[in-house]
């Protein structure tokens, strides 16, 4: 199907994507300008965050670019199987925690013993995701003027030639933006019905999980999806080979985040390993065997979720191109996003961690600049980060422990303040925290700012609550530029804001030798 020149509305794209996903139809959609006779400066294989942003930037610089993707939409895994479902599930977890906490109080219905259907939330997502897909296609075609081929199975003929069906496309450069997929551990029983990862959960779940979820892994996906399962009312056991939540380096912040998960009933087995998943006669999960320091334990369940990291989508491509990869299959690139083969670039998850949207998009842009004759280098460093539990957890810079190793005069400001009677202190309470503040203050969040007392520069910041993610994106930029306690004290807070850093700094900034708070 050729669509260049036809105005596809968002509604029309929505219908097309829904029907194509439903039917698994294999007819490609060609959106190619027949009047443009220029050779393509680049073909982007993969139109996810990395490919779409790279292509858009390349076109903005005056180049001609073609995106080819196997899916019938642009935007990649983020809206289809990753960030968007993750945020939906985390929204559900936050809402369900609120309802359970206030069950039977104020206007809240009784919901303490209610189990919420995971299957219906997944089906809800599957129906709804075509909305973002349609917007990505509309924006790319009508607003950004991008040329693309969707729903395609591209074959690489050589570094400059890609074929879809019987059409060949030639370009000066090839950009691999193929993304990654969940790691499959291959433990006994991992193929049984009832074992899922972040992709298969949203694609394949077709039964209502019982009352126990076993989650394997201790990183972001494992905990994010685990908290969601827990919030739906299921016993949730997280089994991690090492420590859970290793990415949250500040010990006190991590302890609060873990305590809040435990108070919701999350169970953690650290330094433990799932040895085998047992099935029943129909090939469905029945139980798991877990090895801990105390021996082997068995847990009955019909639902296992694996959050074990990602593997590059590079196998197919490296059958044709002899690219250098690392031991996990991630394509090696230099800071200009150039691979080991001239004129071949790689961007986004296919180049390895950090697997984050900003990194994928910025690598795409970096490749585009280099292709168009600019000199651009990129390496993700000193970036802010976040994950969900039932809360949103944000962090940037150094933990208190790291700061104390590097600086002699570290000062800390935090809320709630240290309290001999524990966490039940009526502050902090930013956005979405007021109900907790009044009834269960310990649930109303935690925040911490780490400062070098000598230079007065901010070294790190941590926030567990809701609504601080937006601020952390900008805060990190300022911290990298040398933001001080005095600069923060000079800002204008939109009171009551999720992070109290501005007001805490203002309370202390007048003092040349300010103390902890
Ligand atoms: P993708 O978006 O995966 O794009 C790759 C594209 O290549 C796809 O469109 C695919 O169809 C196409 N492709 C692959 N093989 C072929 C082929 N042979 N032929 C043609 N096309 C092909 N990051 C955040 O910043 N925030 C979050 O909240 C967040 N949540 C996440 C939650 C989960 C569960 C996961 C797994 C990841 C999450 N991430 C998040 C990470 C984020 O999704 C990725 O970093 C980002 O999507 C990577 O973009 P990409 O363009 O490199 O890859
Ligand atoms: C909400 C949203 O933007 C989800 S999908 C983003 C895909 S892309 O803009 O191509 O990075």
């Amino acid at each position: 199907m050729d669509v260049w020149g036809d105005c596809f509305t968002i509604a029309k794209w929505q219908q097309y994507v829904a029907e194509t996903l439903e039917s698994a139809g294999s007819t490609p959609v060609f959106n190619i300008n027949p009047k443009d006779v220029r050779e393509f400066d680049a073909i982007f294989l993969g139109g996810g965050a990395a490919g779409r942003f790279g292509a858009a930037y390349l076109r903005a610089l005056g180049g001609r670019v073609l995106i080819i993707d196997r899916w019938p939409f642009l935007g990649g895994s983020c809206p289809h199987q990753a960030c968007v479902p993750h945020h939906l599930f985390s929204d559900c977890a936050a809402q369900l925690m609120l309802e359970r906490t206030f069950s039977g109080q104020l206007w809240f219905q009784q919901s303490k013993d209610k189990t919420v259907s995971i299957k219906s939330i997944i089906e809800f997502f599957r129906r709804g995701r075509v909305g973002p897909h349609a917007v990505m296609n509309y924006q790319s075609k009508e607003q950004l003027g991008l040329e693309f081929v969707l729903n395609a199975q591209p074959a690489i003929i050589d570094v400059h030639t890609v074929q879809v069906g019987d059409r060949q496309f030639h370009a000066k450069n090839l950009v691999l933006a193929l993304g990654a997929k969940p790691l499959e551990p291959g433990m006994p029983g991992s193929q049984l019905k009832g074992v899922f990862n972040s992709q298969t959960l949203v694609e394949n779940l077709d039964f209502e999980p019982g009352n126990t979820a076993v989650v394997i892994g201790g990183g972001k996906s494992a905990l994010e999806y685990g908290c969601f399962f827990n919030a739906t009312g299921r016993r949730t056991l997280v089994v991690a080979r090492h420590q859970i939540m290793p990415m949250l380096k500040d010990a006190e912040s991590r302890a609060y985040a873990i305590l809040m998960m435990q108070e919701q009933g999350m169970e953690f087995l650290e330094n433990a390993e799932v040895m085998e998943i047992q099935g029943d006669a129909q090939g469905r999960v029945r139980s798991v065997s877990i090895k801990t320091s105390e021996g082997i334990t068995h847990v009955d369940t019909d639902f296992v979720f694996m959050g074990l990291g990602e593997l590059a989508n590079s196998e197919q491509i490296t059958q044709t191109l002899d690219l250098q990869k690392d031991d996990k299959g991630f394509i090696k690139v230099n800071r200009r996003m150039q691979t080991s083969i001239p004129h071949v670039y790689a961007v986004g998850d296919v180049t390895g961690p950090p697997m984050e949207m900003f990194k994928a998009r910025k690598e795409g842009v970096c490749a585009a600049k280099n292709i168009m004759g600019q000199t651009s280098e990129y390496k993700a460093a000193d970036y802010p980060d976040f994950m969900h539990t039932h809360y949103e957890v944000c962090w940037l810079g150094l933990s208190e422990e790291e700061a104390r190793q590097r600086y002699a005069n570290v000062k800390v400001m935090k809320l709630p303040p240290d309290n001999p009677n524990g966490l039940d202190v009526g502050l902090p309470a930013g956005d979405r925290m007021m109900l907790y503040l009044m009834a269960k203050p310990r649930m109303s969040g935690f925040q911490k700012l780490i400062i070098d007392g000598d230079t007065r520069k901010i070294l790190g910041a941590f926030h567990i609550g809701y609504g601080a993610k937006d601020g952390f994106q900008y805060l990190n930029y300022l911290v990298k530029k040398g933001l001080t306690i005095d600069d923060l004290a000079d800002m204008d807070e939109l009171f009551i804001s999720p992070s109290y850093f501005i007001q805490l700094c203002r309370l202390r900034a007048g003092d040349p030798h300010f103390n902890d708070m």
Side-chain angles (χ1 to χ4, degrees):
M1 175 165 74
D2 282 285
V3 299
W4 185 267
D6 296 345
C7 178
F8 266 50
T9 60
I10 292 173
K12 193 166 167 185
W13 274 125
Q14 195 156 328
Q15 191 188 347
Y16 161 75
V17 175
E19 283 171 7
T20 310
L21 287 175
E22 205 52 46
S23 67
S26 60
T27 315
V29 167
F30 293 92
N31 182 52
I32 294 172
N33 183 355
K35 295 205 180 109
D36 196 337
V37 292
R38 290 176 298 161
E39 185 184 9
F40 289 108
D41 292 285
I43 293 175
F44 278 73
L45 281 187
R52 210 172 74 87
F53 273 69
Y57 210 91
L58 199 150
R59 186 174 186 280
L61 292 177
R64 187 171 187 214
V65 60
L66 178 69
I67 302 175
I68 305 178
D69 202 290
R70 63 181 168 179
W71 279 334
F73 53 86
L74 294 163
S77 55
C78 167
H80 201 52
Q81 296 165 335
C83 327
V84 173
H86 145 214
H87 277 73
L88 168 68
F89 303 151
S90 298
D91 276 6
C92 293
Q95 179 66 23
L96 289 166
M97 177 171 81
L98 183 73
E99 287 175 20
R100 262 208 192 87
T101 305
F102 290 93
S103 170
Q105 293 179 61
L106 302 172
W107 62 88
F108 290 87
Q109 311 242 326
Q110 280 289 352
S111 60
K112 269 225 153 59
D113 302 318
K114 196 164 79 181
T115 304
V116 171
S117 165
I118 294 177
K119 181 168 173 273
S120 57
I121 298 172
I122 300 281
E123 286 165 353
F124 181 64
F125 167 68
R126 270 190 223 131
R127 286 193 301 276
R129 68 181 166 181
V130 294
H133 292 338
V135 174
M136 293 297 123
N137 285 5
Y138 174 80
Q139 185 189 65
S140 304
K141 182 174 178 307
E142 309 303 335
Q143 298 181 314
L144 296 170
L146 290 173
E147 295 179 71
F148 51 77
V149 185
L150 300 180
N151 206 30
Q153 296 298 330
I156 297 185
I157 307 302
D158 60 43
V159 163
H160 300 287
T161 317
V162 180
Q163 184 157 338
V164 177
D166 54 7
R167 295 201 207 181
Q168 281 200 350
F169 301 98
H170 303 279
K172 292 177 192 144
N173 300 280
L174 187 63
V175 187
L176 307 173
L178 296 160
K181 56 175 171 276
L183 202 84
E184 307 243 348
M187 70 184 59
S190 61
Q191 301 306 323
L192 289 166
K193 188 169 160 60
V195 181
F196 296 95
N197 57 42
S198 57
Q199 281 187 359
T200 55
L201 181 74
V202 296
E203 299 305 339
N204 302 341
L205 184 83
D206 61 357
F207 71 97
E208 191 58 55
N211 56 15
T212 301
V214 173
V215 174
I216 310 178
K220 281 189 184 180
S221 294
L223 295 175
E224 287 167 340
Y225 283 60
C227 287
F228 165 58
F229 305 143
N230 158 274
T232 64
R234 288 165 177 83
R235 177 188 178 206
T236 302
L237 175 65
V238 178
V239 184
R241 196 177 267 176
H242 306 292
Q243 265 196 334
I244 60 156
M245 225 182 199
M247 68 297 276
L248 193 58
K249 303 273 185 244
D250 186 78
E252 201 178 12
S253 306
R254 183 170 168 273
Y256 178 80
I258 292 175
L259 180 67
M260 288 304 106
M261 287 193 277
Q262 285 168 328
E263 290 192 358
Q264 289 305 307
M266 294 278 286
E267 297 171 44
F268 301 113
L269 277 177
E270 296 182 319
N271 304 311
E273 201 161 342
V274 171
M275 306 302 293
E276 187 181 350
I277 306 170
Q278 289 89 16
D280 62 15
Q282 284 76 42
R284 285 189 298 245
V285 173
R286 182 172 43 86
S287 59
V288 295
S289 311
I290 305 162
K291 188 173 159 202
T292 69
S293 55
E294 275 142 41
I296 304 275
T297 165
H298 300 279
V299 177
D300 290 338
T301 183
D302 62 356
F303 184 57
V304 175
F305 179 83
M306 308 230 188
L308 292 166
E310 301 270 306
L311 212 103
N313 281 330
S314 61
E315 317 96 316
Q316 206 189 335
I317 207 88
T318 47
Q319 286 168 11
T320 321
L321 301 178
D322 187 22
L323 289 160
Q324 277 184 17
K325 299 190 287 181
D326 71 12
D327 52 1
K328 290 189 175 145
F330 293 114
I331 298 174
K332 285 192 184 177
V333 285
N334 62 18
R335 286 178 180 233
R336 300 184 70 185
M337 303 301 128
Q338 292 161 323
T339 68
S340 54
I341 300 180
H343 302 290
V344 180
Y345 292 73
V347 291
D349 280 2
V350 79
T351 70
M355 317 281 230
E356 307 287 346
M357 290 293 279
F358 72 85
K359 181 253 190 189
R361 290 166 169 177
K362 288 174 91 170
E363 285 192 348
V365 169
C366 177
K369 287 180 178 171
N370 285 307
I371 288 168
M372 292 307 290
Q374 299 181 7
T375 301
S376 173
E377 295 199 342
Y378 177 68
K379 177 125 191 79
D382 300 333
Y383 52 88
D385 211 345
F386 83 98
M387 64 175 285
H388 288 100
T389 54
H390 304 77
Y391 296 96
E392 181 186 280
V393 182
C394 299
W395 63 96
L396 63 84
L398 301 180
S399 66
E400 185 178 340
E401 294 77 13
E402 289 167 329
R404 289 197 189 284
Q405 279 173 8
R406 294 190 213 174
Y407 297 84
N409 183 21
V410 170
K411 301 291 182 201
V412 171
M413 293 183 177
K414 64 186 177 191
L415 277 173
D418 287 331
N419 177 31
N421 300 323
L423 279 164
D424 277 316
V425 183
L427 278 175
D431 289 348
R432 307 279 85 80
M433 286 303 191
M434 289 303 170
L435 286 163
Y436 291 122
L437 163 69
M438 301 302 159
K440 306 251 175 185
R442 60 194 294 98
M443 291 180 72
S444 68
F446 179 80
Q447 51 205 239
K448 184 172 184 179
L449 193 67
I450 296 141
I451 308 150
D452 174 15
D454 293 334
T455 61
R456 305 172 76 83
K457 285 186 181 164
I458 309 301
L459 303 174
F462 295 81
H463 184 278
I464 299 153
Y466 300 112
K469 184 159 42 120
D470 201 25
F472 266 60
Q473 323 174 98
Y474 308 110
L475 191 58
N476 191 61
Y477 185 81
L478 298 172
V479 167
K480 283 200 285 186
K481 292 202 172 304
L483 184 81
T484 65
I485 170 178
D486 309 287
D487 298 326
L488 263 171
D490 204 29
M491 289 185 187
D492 301 321
E493 65 271 45
L494 296 178
F495 196 74
I496 295 173
S497 51
S499 142
Y500 276 50
F501 300 144
I502 298 174
Q503 75 182 50
L504 289 182
C505 287
R506 191 177 296 130
L507 286 166
R508 279 288 191 231
D511 185 346
H513 309 291
F514 66 94
N515 287 326
D516 290 345
M517 197 160 183

